[in-house]
Amino acid sequence: MLAGELISNIIPTLKTSDTGQKALERMSEFKLYHLPIVNEAQFLGLVAEDELIEIRDQATPIGSLSLSILNPFVFENAHIYDVVRLFNQLQLSLVPVLDMNKNYLGVVSIHNLLAYTADMYALKEPGGIIVLEISNRNNSLAHMAQIVEADNAQILSSYVSSFADSTKLEVTLKINKTELSSIIA
């Protein structure tokens, strides 16, 4: 999945002529902590709610304010992992997406990302979850799939995470059955 495929078309942009009050109202309406400032197709940066709240005169245009504008973005062909990294590193509520000419295309909101993640990990599908702690040398998804499929079940999604300073891995499997005792055995 690429960033360009997750762009939300409902989140408005701000212009430098928009007031701090207008920005705060839009943030409140869309339940976001950041909004992009875009003039024409040029992405200028993200304005944060924290800074706008502290402004004395909310009627002042954003372009006239002395704000620390964030400038994170991804290109439309960036992998979703790059988007998640920016969300996490900068504690963003949205990530701007630009084309290769650095023209603004839209944003990936935290809400879109969460919906995509729910689909990706088959969270909406009925089934059970198995969490295994294994050695990193025994990490054979093919072998795990054989065991699951031998019980007429399928792995809907899987996730592997590692432990710091350890050779252990945690493997999480979402199975399309709720009765998992025979698979676990």
Side-chain angles (χ1 to χ4, degrees):
M1 176 64 72
L2 301 178
E5 298 172 54
L6 285 176
I7 290 176
S8 171
N9 295 320
I10 63 168
I11 297 173
T13 61
L14 297 170
K15 295 178 182 170
T16 53
S17 60
D18 289 334
T19 66
Q21 181 63 37
K22 182 175 183 177
L24 287 170
E25 288 170 0
R26 285 189 174 172
M27 287 177 186
S28 176
E29 179 183 349
F30 290 93
K31 296 177 180 34
L32 296 168
Y33 303 111
H34 304 90
L35 278 177
I37 302 171
V38 178
N39 283 343
E40 301 299 321
Q42 183 185 11
F43 171 66
L44 302 176
L46 292 179
V47 63
E49 180 185 52
D50 293 347
E51 283 198 87
L52 291 175
I53 289 173
E54 296 179 11
I55 295 171
R56 289 186 185 165
D57 183 8
Q58 294 292 326
T60 305
I62 294 171
S64 303
L65 298 171
S66 184
L67 301 171
S68 59
I69 303 296
L70 300 170
N71 201 13
F73 65 87
V74 293
F75 288 111
E76 63 186 317
N77 61 353
H79 192 274
I80 194 64
Y81 286 179
D82 294 326
V83 177
V84 171
R85 180 183 49 78
L86 273 180
F87 272 113
N88 183 50
Q89 280 181 343
L90 302 175
Q91 301 297 300
L92 298 173
S93 57
L94 51 79
V95 171
V97 180
L98 308 182
D99 69 14
M100 298 313 283
N101 295 322
K102 292 197 173 183
N103 294 314
Y104 178 81
L105 297 176
V107 295
V108 176
S109 73
I110 193 73
H111 309 295
N112 284 22
L113 182 64
L114 188 58
Y116 168 73
T117 304
D119 288 341
M120 183 173 71
Y121 289 113
L123 299 177
K124 297 176 185 175
E125 301 294 324
I129 298 170
I130 298 173
V131 180
L132 305 168
E133 187 176 309
I134 62 173
S135 164
N136 62 3
R137 295 176 191 239
N138 295 332
N139 183 15
S140 171
L141 286 176
H143 183 66
M144 291 177 214
Q146 281 180 329
I147 294 169
V148 170
E149 290 169 1
D151 196 48
N152 289 328
Q154 293 178 327
I155 297 174
L156 298 174
S157 69
S158 64
Y159 183 77
V160 178
S161 55
S162 59
F163 297 103
D165 301 325
S166 175
T167 60
K168 296 283 186 187
L169 297 173
E170 183 177 270
V171 179
T172 304
L173 303 173
K174 172 79 181 256
I175 311 294
N176 68 342
K177 290 174 80 173
T178 54
E179 174 50 47
L180 301 174
S181 56
S182 59
I183 295 172
I184 293 170

